[in-house]
Amino acid sequence: MNNYIHVKKLLLLCFITLSAIGIKAQDLHGLLAKLQTYHDARPIEKLYLHIDKRSYTAGETVWLKAYTTVGINNLLSNISNIAYVELISPKEEIVSSIRIPILTGLGMGDLALADTLIEGTYRIRAYTNWMRNDSSAYFFNENIQVTNGRLDNVLSHSYLDNSNYTIQLRDIQGIPLVEEAVRYEIISPTGKSLRRGRVKTDGQGQLSIPFKDEYAEGKLSIRFTNATKAQIEKIFKLPNTTTLENSIQFFPEGGNLLTGSMNKLAVKTLKPDGLGIKSRTIISTATGDTTATIETNILGMGSAPMFIHNTEPMVAYTTFDDGSTIKSELPKPVSSGYNIQMNNGNSDKLFAQVGVSPDMQDGNEIYFVAQYMGNVYYASKQPASKSELVFSLPKTHLPHGIITICILNHDLKPLIERPVFIYNAKDVLPLAAKIDTPTSMKRKKVTVSLETGNPSDSIRNTVLSASVVNLSKLKDDPKIVSNILSSLLLSSDIKGYIENPGYYFDDKIKVNDIDDLLLTQGWRKIDITSSLDVSEPVFPPEKSISIKGQARKLGRKAPASNANMVLVPTHNFMEFIDTVANEEGYFEFNNLFFPDSIKFLITAKDEKGRNNIDIIVPEETSPTIGPNKNAPGEQNNVNTTFVDELLHSKKYFSGLEAQGLMEKSIAIQEVVVTARSPRHKASERSANLNGPGNADQVIGAEDLETCTTLEMCLNGRLMGVMFQNGIPHTTRGGGEMQVILDGMYVENDMLSMINPMDVQSVEVLRNINYTAIYGSYGGNGLIIITSKTGADAMRSYTPKGIATVQPKGLHIQKTFYKPIYEPGSETTLNQDLRITIHWEPNIITDENGKATFDFYTSDEAGQYLLTVEGLDLNGRLGRKTLTLDVK
């Protein structure tokens, strides 16, 4: 609320400023008021995840801390109480997702990386329901690299060789996979299958697949068996063109190159993979005169001013850092219109010079507006009566981040829009970190002291999170990866890919480089000429979990008006909740908070107490998985690139397994025996996501002919399954198993209602190799039943007025294992090879801005990197890194 009061004061200041310079028309006042109304009704919520590192291996855990903030001021958000975190595979599939609780803008969680994950570039996507009202381009998106040494253990090397895409496969010892049968499929960017086939590797472990232009930017999937006979899949991102050349793009500031005026031209030079490359570009006129020279930074972006005399074409000669050159034509200059040059170099004021062509110098008003998503910070005007109009505004009340400068004509139609990054030192959180010793020994305690804010601050409480990693075991450069500053100040308001986002905030904020970035990127903005609808949003903010649906008359689409609905958790039938459906039969149970994997029964009765009602509960849907915003950062051959980390993890995991702190990797040989031998018994129509017959046990129709009920047939015949009161339980922990009948998730007490004569096959999934694909549903194992007709098994069971639902609950975070190496301590590791040494997600400084935490070093020497991030109650962001040498 204080933020809104501050905003309204700024808006009033704009009105006074405009009035003071003679604005009489109320149209601009109306526009500013409309913008402010929209801003107040649709505040921008942003989300950042601090994760412990950027490269992992299957079997590890991604540790994360969520920060949700509001608007450009980055105040902790109270809009949403729930956030979604998803792990998206190289196949563009969600392989893991969690729903984490958010309290006053903060949340914590973790993502376990299953043994069965294929190697490759994964992306972590995070958002709130409220954020879905805007483009998914502004969700949190972060690439991570995942190797697999648990099941895969195959190294690959891939490249485009003339007209073939060639792949070499080797085992972990470097021995080629010779004469290995490989199935492949090429998939277009839209998901269409373009080609399938089979090939064999040669004596060097190589295979070649013909490459066509239509395969560009698609994905290649290959499947084969490794040395242990495990089924392996690898995904390769195909190049975007068969002509592998560097390129250059031109971006005139304001959109046009205007004759008779100074112009600023930005360039972006790229390698074929979409990553930037340093270059030098000379701009020449038609007569051969040099009008500008543009030197880019290491990311391929740069800009320079240039005066343009006429509309004759100009040519650019570019020399790239790799020695190659190209010749390009610039966008054709125009003789009529406007351009702009922003000057952000002054610490106190922001200047804008607007160029006006002679035919546009008609004396009509030109308006200058500085705003962020409708929150107006400044507005002024000048008559278009000369070739150059200079606007300036003080930076005192401007926020820290990206604002939009709008140049409007007298009809309030946008002529130019330009993003500008404002840096205010006062909006940066003072954050100091000190380690009690600059060097340490193995298995020694290290204490870290933190201090935030200044003594003059009225409130110094700050929320922080910290990670400590053994930097000598990682390939990533911590100086260039994303962080809380790059995410909340840049990425959350920019549409496209930002290469090495941490580069812009390393040591000090690189304002000029950020300006070149903004000149070459799209950004978050609103169409101020639109109606700016403030009606009820499609996706409301989530304060709790809700279960909603519709009650219909049995077998009909007509609503069961005013039906009495009851929600009962199956783990405790005494904790029921009731409600009444409305006239259209719609009902909702809200204000729910429950952990994941909880099942509920929903019962319904009409006003006469009868249960002749169908209960329809729609499935929860995730946002569409669109193209990866960070696609240029995707990598092939991840096992090979990060082979040192992969080998290190294998050694570390073996120690954890020996100590009983980690389950052993899947017994591949056992899987081969139990999964393949009974395949002939499984129905070809089986809904088993692993494929028909890929199960720990399969029972066919011939084994089910002598029993009255299916439960009687299965009791005592299923390995690792015990029945209690007709319900199947796993012998590993005793949890209830999930039953799937012809692809439908049904109650596990239905077995006694199914006629065994109608059943074609029963498949039992207990091993993680088979259950992992089912996520939380496979936690206690599954029983897959396939009927002979696909419908017969359902004839004897017609549910009325009852339905079972299992909505995604709140994720319960795991506790990070913290060994303590002190006499008598039981929390130790026999072999300590941790890469993530420490994770501290919930640091809160006291009223003096101080806090401490400690950790123990591992058995390995090296340089440890400590990263601390967070923000204070005023929205000031802070980040600090320190290194510790362990001898």
Side-chain angles (χ1 to χ4, degrees):
M1 183 61 69
N2 291 334
N3 185 41
Y4 288 155
I5 294 174
H6 182 59
V7 166
K8 293 183 183 300
K9 288 181 178 179
L10 288 172
L11 184 58
L12 178 60
L13 176 62
C14 292
F15 289 161
I16 295 172
T17 304
L18 292 167
S19 299
I21 58 177
I23 292 182
K24 298 179 181 180
Q26 296 300 310
D27 289 346
L28 182 60
H29 290 244
L31 173 63
L32 298 181
K34 183 175 72 169
L35 290 173
Q36 193 63 52
T37 299
Y38 177 84
H39 174 270
D40 293 349
R42 296 290 179 89
I44 297 300
E45 190 170 45
K46 300 186 285 189
L47 192 152
Y48 167 70
L49 295 184
H50 179 191
I51 59 178
D52 59 315
K53 52 182 181 171
R54 298 304 188 281
S55 58
Y56 299 85
T57 190
E60 286 191 302
T61 297
V62 179
W63 302 97
L64 58 93
K65 167 74 172 287
Y67 296 87
T68 58
T69 64
V70 177
I72 196 170
N73 294 306
N74 286 308
L75 298 176
L76 286 169
S77 173
N78 61 2
I79 296 175
S80 300
N81 289 345
I82 292 174
Y84 299 84
V85 182
E86 299 166 343
L87 182 67
I88 301 174
S89 76
K91 298 171 67 175
E92 305 297 333
E93 298 172 346
I94 298 175
V95 294
S96 179
S97 64
I98 58 175
R99 202 177 199 170
I100 61 174
I102 299 293
L103 182 62
T104 60
L106 305 171
M108 291 168 280
D110 53 84
L111 289 169
L113 302 179
D115 288 354
T116 52
L117 293 182
I118 62 176
E119 65 153 307
T121 299
Y122 287 70
R123 48 175 159 149
I124 298 176
R125 181 173 75 169
Y127 56 90
T128 65
N129 200 54
W130 179 257
M131 290 171 66
R132 296 178 68 178
N133 292 302
D134 208 334
S135 169
S136 60
Y138 306 119
F139 291 177
F140 175 85
N141 272 282
E142 181 75 12
N143 287 352
I144 62 170
Q145 311 302 330
V146 178
T147 61
N148 190 321
R150 302 286 277 172
L151 288 180
D152 189 329
N153 292 307
V154 175
L155 307 180
S156 62
H157 175 58
S158 63
Y159 55 93
L160 184 63
D161 181 16
N162 296 323
S163 59
N164 290 322
Y165 194 79
T166 300
I167 303 171
Q168 183 183 42
L169 301 175
R170 296 175 292 123
D171 66 16
I172 204 73
Q173 286 79 35
I175 301 174
L177 271 62
V178 178
E179 295 296 317
E180 182 64 48
V182 178
R183 291 174 295 158
Y184 71 86
E185 181 179 13
I186 297 175
I187 305 166
S188 73
T190 60
K192 179 182 177 182
S193 179
L194 299 177
R195 178 171 179 160
R196 294 180 181 177
R198 294 174 181 267
V199 294
K200 269 194 173 184
T201 59
D202 62 16
Q204 301 299 317
Q206 289 189 346
L207 60 97
S208 294
I209 299 172
F211 186 86
K212 299 180 180 180
D213 288 346
E214 63 181 302
Y215 302 160
E217 297 186 292
K219 292 198 174 181
L220 168 64
S221 166
I222 65 171
R223 296 173 184 265
F224 57 95
T225 57
N226 65 7
T228 59
K229 303 305 179 184
Q231 289 289 330
I232 303 301
E233 181 179 13
K234 292 184 183 290
I235 302 292
F236 299 90
K237 178 183 175 183
L238 298 176
N240 60 4
T241 178
T242 55
T243 305
L244 304 179
E245 295 181 349
N246 297 325
S247 61
I248 184 170
Q249 299 172 355
F250 301 100
F251 300 89
E253 185 174 22
N256 292 317
L257 295 175
L258 186 65
T259 61
S261 174
M262 285 296 297
N263 294 262
K264 188 175 187 180
L265 179 67
V267 300
K268 189 172 189 177
T269 50
L270 300 171
K271 295 182 289 186
D273 59 7
L275 299 177
I277 180 172
K278 191 174 182 180
S279 67
R280 184 173 188 265
T281 298
I282 297 175
I283 310 295
S284 297
T285 65
T287 59
D289 296 328
T290 298
T291 187
T293 299
I294 303 176
E295 301 267 3
T296 72
N297 57 24
I298 59 173
L299 301 177
M301 286 170 283
S303 61
M306 51 191 285
F307 190 89
I308 298 180
H309 295 275
N310 52 52
T311 60
E312 292 183 359
M314 292 183 291
V315 177
Y317 299 91
T318 303
T319 301
F320 299 99
D321 209 31
D322 60 7
S324 62
T325 61
I326 60 171
K327 176 183 176 182
S328 314
E329 286 192 5
L330 265 65
K332 187 177 180 180
V334 298
S335 58
S336 176
Y338 307 84
N339 73 356
I340 191 171
Q341 285 193 86
M342 299 299 304
N343 183 345
N344 196 15
N346 189 287
S347 60
D348 298 321
K349 286 188 174 184
L350 178 67
F351 294 92
Q353 179 177 300
V354 177
V356 184
S357 63
D359 60 313
M360 296 296 179
Q361 298 172 24
D362 53 12
N364 285 321
E365 304 294 349
I366 297 292
Y367 298 101
F368 174 94
V369 178
Q371 54 93 14
Y372 174 81
M373 296 302 292
N375 191 0
V376 179
Y377 295 96
Y378 187 85
S380 63
K381 72 164 188 177
Q382 287 190 44
S385 56
K386 52 186 178 180
S387 60
E388 294 180 356
L389 307 177
V390 178
F391 297 89
S392 67
L393 68 157
K395 292 184 177 180
T396 309
H397 296 298
L398 292 180
H400 192 53
I402 299 173
I403 64 172
T404 299
I405 300 300
C406 301
I407 304 300
L408 314 176
N409 66 10
H410 64 282
D411 292 323
L412 302 181
K413 303 297 182 184
L415 300 173
I416 297 172
E417 289 184 309
R418 165 76 152 92
V420 177
F421 181 81
I422 302 298
Y423 170 69
N424 282 319
K426 64 180 178 60
D427 292 326
V428 177
L429 174 67
L431 173 57
K434 182 180 180 181
I435 301 176
D436 60 351
T437 174
T439 60
S440 183
M441 305 297 289
K442 300 173 184 177
R443 296 199 175 206
K444 293 297 182 181
K445 183 178 181 179
V446 177
T447 300
V448 181
S449 301
L450 304 173
E451 184 172 359
T452 58
N454 294 310
S456 58
D457 292 336
S458 58
I459 299 177
R460 297 185 67 178
N461 301 106
T462 304
V463 290
L464 303 166
S465 49
S467 66
V468 183
V469 297
N470 188 340
L471 197 57
S472 59
K473 302 297 179 182
L474 297 173
K475 292 181 67 70
D476 292 326
D477 184 351
K479 293 183 178 181
I480 61 176
V481 298
S482 66
N483 55 57
I484 194 169
L485 300 173
S486 68
S487 180
L488 293 179
L489 296 179
L490 284 184
S491 302
S492 59
D493 284 323
I494 288 181
K495 288 183 177 180
Y497 172 62
I498 303 177
E499 183 182 355
N500 299 344
Y503 163 83
Y504 299 96
F505 298 91
D506 179 30
D507 297 329
K508 63 178 182 179
I509 295 180
K510 298 180 175 66
V511 176
N512 290 334
D513 288 292
I514 293 176
D515 196 55
D516 288 336
L517 173 71
L518 294 179
L519 284 170
T520 61
Q521 300 275 164
W523 75 100
R524 188 201 298 262
K525 59 181 179 178
I526 58 175
D527 181 3
I528 64 175
T529 64
S530 67
S531 60
L532 297 179
D533 183 23
V534 293
S535 61
E536 193 71 21
V538 176
F539 301 100
E542 284 184 306
K543 299 297 184 181
S544 64
I545 301 176
S546 64
I547 299 175
K548 60 184 72 174
Q550 186 184 28
R552 298 177 182 174
K553 294 181 179 179
L554 190 64
R556 300 163 58 187
K557 293 185 178 181
S561 302
N562 304 315
N564 294 303
M565 313 297 300
V566 180
L567 179 72
V568 185
T570 56
H571 71 285
N572 188 342
F573 289 95
M574 301 301 294
E575 295 181 354
F576 64 88
I577 304 172
D578 57 6
T579 189
V580 177
N582 63 18
E583 291 295 326
E584 289 76 35
Y586 291 104
F587 63 87
E588 179 175 1
F589 300 99
N590 49 30
N591 297 321
L592 303 177
F593 295 93
F594 53 86
D596 211 359
S597 301
I598 297 293
K599 290 184 179 180
F600 294 88
L601 292 177
I602 301 177
T603 64
K605 291 186 178 181
D606 60 22
E607 293 176 295
K608 295 182 180 180
R610 296 175 299 193
N611 65 345
N612 295 325
I613 293 175
D614 286 328
I615 301 173
I616 310 299
V617 179
E619 291 186 6
E620 297 176 328
T621 59
S622 296
T624 302
I625 301 176
N628 185 4
K629 174 180 178 178
N630 302 316
E634 295 175 346
Q635 299 185 34
N636 293 332
N637 314 305
V638 171
N639 273 3
T640 303
T641 303
F642 296 86
V643 65
D644 292 338
E645 292 182 33
L646 185 152
L647 294 172
H648 182 275
S649 71
K650 291 175 71 69
K651 186 177 179 182
Y652 176 46
F653 290 160
S654 66
L656 295 179
E657 291 169 359
Q659 200 172 341
L661 296 175
M662 185 177 189
E663 292 185 5
K664 290 185 179 295
S665 185
I666 299 167
I668 300 301
Q669 196 62 37
E670 177 185 348
V671 172
V672 172
V673 173
T674 59
R676 290 188 172 186
S677 59
R679 280 190 180 179
H680 65 280
K681 292 185 178 182
S683 170
E684 293 181 356
R685 294 178 292 98
S686 169
N688 187 346
L689 297 181
N690 301 285
N694 285 313
D696 293 289
Q697 185 180 2
V698 180
I699 294 179
E702 65 274 15
D703 301 319
L704 304 171
E705 297 174 349
T706 59
C707 307
T708 305
T709 67
L710 186 59
E711 175 200 345
M712 294 174 59
C713 284
L714 301 182
N715 198 346
R717 300 177 69 173
L718 302 184
M719 295 179 294
V721 181
M722 58 183 178
F723 283 81
Q724 298 176 0
N725 298 322
I727 297 176
H729 293 70
T730 177
T731 57
R732 297 177 180 174
E736 295 184 8
M737 301 180 71
Q738 174 68 57
V739 176
I740 298 178
L741 173 61
D742 290 332
M744 297 177 59
Y745 290 72
V746 299
E747 279 299 284
N748 46 22
D749 60 358
M750 272 190 61
L751 296 177
S752 61
M753 305 178 188
I754 298 176
N755 184 349
M757 299 299 292
D758 294 332
V759 176
Q760 180 65 37
S761 64
V762 177
E763 298 164 85
V764 181
L765 313 183
R766 295 185 297 107
N767 197 303
I768 190 174
N769 190 35
Y770 299 127
T771 61
I773 196 171
Y774 288 92
S776 60
Y777 291 99
N780 295 316
L782 305 97
I783 296 177
I784 312 293
I785 303 170
T786 306
S787 70
K788 291 180 178 177
T789 66
D792 288 342
M794 295 296 293
R795 290 176 181 171
S796 58
Y797 182 76
T798 305
K800 297 191 300 182
I802 189 169
T804 303
V805 295
Q806 189 174 6
K808 181 170 288 294
L810 296 176
H811 176 72
I812 305 300
Q813 66 171 0
K814 296 190 297 187
T815 300
F816 183 83
Y817 187 83
K818 304 175 182 179
I820 299 175
Y821 297 117
E822 299 292 347
S825 172
E826 297 182 357
T827 310
T828 63
L829 292 175
N830 297 336
Q831 177 185 254
D832 192 345
L833 304 178
R834 291 169 293 152
I835 294 181
T836 297
I837 303 296
H838 189 70
W839 174 249
E840 195 76 39
N842 192 28
I843 304 172
I844 303 176
T845 61
D846 61 19
E847 65 275 9
N848 297 314
K850 296 183 177 182
T852 62
F853 68 91
D854 53 59
F855 62 90
Y856 286 80
T857 59
S858 71
D859 286 338
E860 295 185 298
Q863 189 176 70
Y864 289 12
L865 175 70
L866 165 68
T867 303
V868 183
E869 297 184 332
L871 72 166
D872 67 7
L873 301 183
N874 293 315
R876 294 187 299 178
L877 308 176
R879 183 174 188 265
K880 187 71 175 180
T881 60
L882 292 175
T883 57
L884 170 68
D885 291 322
V886 177
K887 306 295 186 181

